[in-house]
Amino acid sequence: MSLSRRTFLLGTTAALTACTSKAKSIAPRTTAVASPTTPPPTTPPPTTMALPATTSTSKPAGESPFKLGVASGDPLPDRVILWTRLAVPTTTTPVAVTWEIATDDAFAKDRRTGEAKAQNEAGFSVHVDADGLKADTRYFYRFQAKGFTSAVGTTRTLPVEGAKVDKLRFGFGSCQEYSEGYYNAHKDIAASNLDLFVWLGDYIYESPVPAGKGVRAVPGEKLRTLDDYRGRYTHYRSEPNLQSAHASCPWVPIWDDHEVENNYASNASETGIPSEEFAKQRAMAYRVWWEFMPTRLAPPAGPDYEIYRDLSYGNLARFFLLDGRQYRTDQACGDVVLQLQPPCDEINSPGRTMLGTEQEAWLLDGLGKATTTWNVVANQVVMADATLNGAVLNFDQWDGYPEARLRLLKGINATGKTNTVIVTGDIHLAAVADIVLKDGDAKKVVATEFIGTSISSGALLPEGIESAISSFPDLRYLNSRKRGWCLNEVTPTKWTATYRIVDDATKPESAVTTDAIFTVTPDKPGAVKG
């Protein structure tokens, strides 16, 4: 049965039911990140203000260049990246952009300011490394250019590494296909007083959306060129709720596959593009990802771009942010065939990898050396065992890389620690799972996985299959139909994951409510409900 990679489970309800009945760092790589003592207030949806700049009393002419909003990201104890991107299509001349940051929204206290240049070569994006800031402090920021003032964003610096931190409030999300739903989840994120938001990938989708398909139009064809990628990001970033979420707290982003092409693996294209040509496409996609993300990573110079890195929230949590696309072995067994029997021999070929040798060694070394209460692995694809009677349902997940997963879980177990939590996106469903080391007949829970559903991208599982998937022994919770995100409140004694679910993402004003709450303690992996 041949299926497209994105819809690998559609139409398989009856077959699956029958089977079931039978049976790196942010410059530098190691950095200090910490939670604020008091969470920031709710940030309202930002609006671009046609206000005069501070140096002028005249009304500016034309349209504001700040149509794509503002953002911040990759914070450190004394600095944070401030981002915006100017809408200036009629010029290639650099544009002067003034930035301000202060501890009050009147920009009078502890104010720092400077000037940056928005360059044509970077699509007129601006990445300001605002330094000289106070540790563990909330800040307000804004930009000014061409006589206009941007929306005001809220961000946060971090305590010094090793500082005592009593609480961290962060969110994570992924998968926001514009055409398949509204960004109600982002509106909820913006109102949730987060210290940090971790983006797990699929910020854009590369495929065209035929006329009349979906709930919202997405212009353009399948992405291939630099202008194609820039146009798609611009369309997504024009969305007000997404702008609100970005303006409400600092983000730490990683990518998955759709930022380039669905299910690509290293330099292997899903659609058979020759590797040399695909490398050029990947370089363009990575470049535009950098242009639109509030990251302190240097811009890429080609198709190879190291984004894996780690962040520490004082003594409370260390985040390891992975890249599960750029270094992986191509998916086994053709990837497009759903087999309801054990997979082909290729899946067990020695040396197959998800992370690549260097990244895998970096991760295991970091997990072993970390002294924080929690180790957090920010990961693109499902790590828990989701095979069905030996059949691999999704070769793109860690199920398709069993040797690599076994190495990683043995490494986690070898640290002697019980505090690893994995946060995952990609699969468009909400789930909680035990991460079980299965070595021969021995089984041991070594970590907990919180899988977040998509912000807006549609369900991948067909209706009626939940009972079959819910029978997986390592699964503790499943909601495969709804969109949303995951709110996490972390203390030295408990991690509380709250699944925030949109009632109907196809309706622009749909409510967002709590669907489930799970907790885990650092001394015992495996989450419990409530």
Side-chain angles (χ1 to χ4, degrees), residues 392-416:
V392 174
L393 304 181
N394 187 352
F395 289 95
D396 189 59
Q397 296 178 174
W398 282 87
D399 280 343
Y401 300 81
E403 181 188 57
R405 178 169 58 189
L406 182 60
R407 283 196 309 267
L408 178 58
L409 300 191
K410 283 184 174 180
I412 292 174
N413 187 52
T415 67

Side-chain angles (χ1 to χ4, degrees), residues 72 156 237 269 293 325 349 358 427 516:
S72 68
R156 189 94 195 186
R237 282 300 277 264
S269 162
M293 293 298 108
R325 286 293 159 192
S349 298
E358 181 179 338
I427 200 60

Side-chain angles (χ1 to χ4, degrees), residues 113-410:
T113 186
E115 184 176 289
K117 292 289 185 182
Q119 306 274 2
N120 180 53
E121 293 78 7
F124 293 96
S125 63
V126 176
H127 296 73
V128 172
D129 194 2
D131 62 0
L133 307 180
K134 297 179 178 180
D136 193 16
T137 301
R138 184 182 66 186
Y139 280 90
F140 299 86
Y141 65 94
R142 65 186 178 187
F143 298 90
Q144 294 164 348
K146 293 180 170 288
F148 287 87
T149 302
S150 74
V152 174
T154 305
T155 191
R156 189 94 195 186
T157 55
L158 312 169
V160 176
E161 185 170 4
K164 185 178 183 298
V165 177
D166 295 324
K167 186 177 182 180
L168 162 65
R169 183 178 171 90
F170 83 97
F172 68 84
S174 67
C175 305
Q176 56 180 16
E177 185 159 10
Y178 189 95
S179 69
E180 293 191 346
Y182 292 94
Y183 289 170
N184 314 75
H186 278 308
K187 184 177 181 181
D188 193 54
I189 290 164
S192 293
N193 298 330
L194 300 180
D195 303 331
L196 188 73
F197 189 78
V198 179
W199 182 259
L200 298 173
D202 292 345
Y203 193 93
I204 61 163
Y205 280 70
E206 82 289 2
S207 297
V209 180
K213 180 181 179 181
V215 300
R216 297 196 288 181
V218 178
E221 302 300 323
K222 188 173 179 66
L223 306 185
R224 286 285 185 262
T225 69
L226 192 70
D227 286 342
D228 288 344
Y229 283 103
R230 283 173 171 170
R232 189 63 51 84
Y233 274 94
T234 295
H235 188 76
Y236 277 53
R237 282 300 277 264
S238 300
E239 214 279 348
N241 287 334
L242 177 57
Q243 291 188 18
S244 295
H246 269 297
S248 67
C249 69
W251 282 40
V252 179
I254 53 178
W255 58 44
D256 193 16
D257 53 344
H258 288 288
E259 286 87 349
V260 180
E261 182 190 79
N262 180 52
N263 278 29
Y264 82 95
S266 185
N267 212 29
S269 162
E270 179 191 43
T271 56
I273 299 172
S275 59
E276 183 175 335
E277 181 181 343
F278 187 65
K280 294 177 181 178
Q281 180 179 334
R282 200 175 78 171
M284 290 184 290
Y286 289 175
R287 173 71 187 194
V288 180
W289 179 88
W290 171 82
E291 288 179 2
F292 278 85
M293 293 298 108
T295 178
R296 69 176 57 254
L297 295 168
D304 304 313
Y305 190 31
E306 185 177 307
I307 70 162
Y308 63 89
R309 57 210 193 272
D310 64 291
L311 299 166
S312 289
Y313 261 85
N315 66 349
L316 184 60
R318 183 175 291 272
F319 286 76
F320 298 88
L321 303 141
L322 304 187
D323 178 357
R325 286 293 159 192
Q326 191 174 181
Y327 312 105
R328 67 157 70 189
T329 308
D330 198 6
Q331 292 90 348
C333 307
D335 190 28
V336 296
V337 179
L338 175 68
Q339 301 181 86
L340 299 183
Q341 63 269 350
C344 68
D345 293 339
E346 180 189 0
I347 199 169
N348 294 313
S349 298
R352 287 178 48 77
T353 179
M354 173 71 80
L355 302 177
T357 302
E358 181 179 338
Q359 183 180 192
E360 185 177 303
W362 163 82
L363 174 60
L364 290 174
D365 181 66
L367 291 171
K369 291 179 178 177
T371 58
T372 47
T373 302
W374 298 93
N375 281 337
V376 188
V377 179
N379 161 71
Q380 286 84 359
V381 296
V382 174
M383 188 177 293
D385 185 348
T387 57
L388 186 62
N389 296 333
V392 174
L393 304 181
N394 187 352
F395 289 95
D396 189 59
Q397 296 178 174
W398 282 87
D399 280 343
Y401 300 81
E403 181 188 57
R405 178 169 58 189
L406 182 60
R407 283 196 309 267
L408 178 58
L409 300 191
K410 283 184 174 180

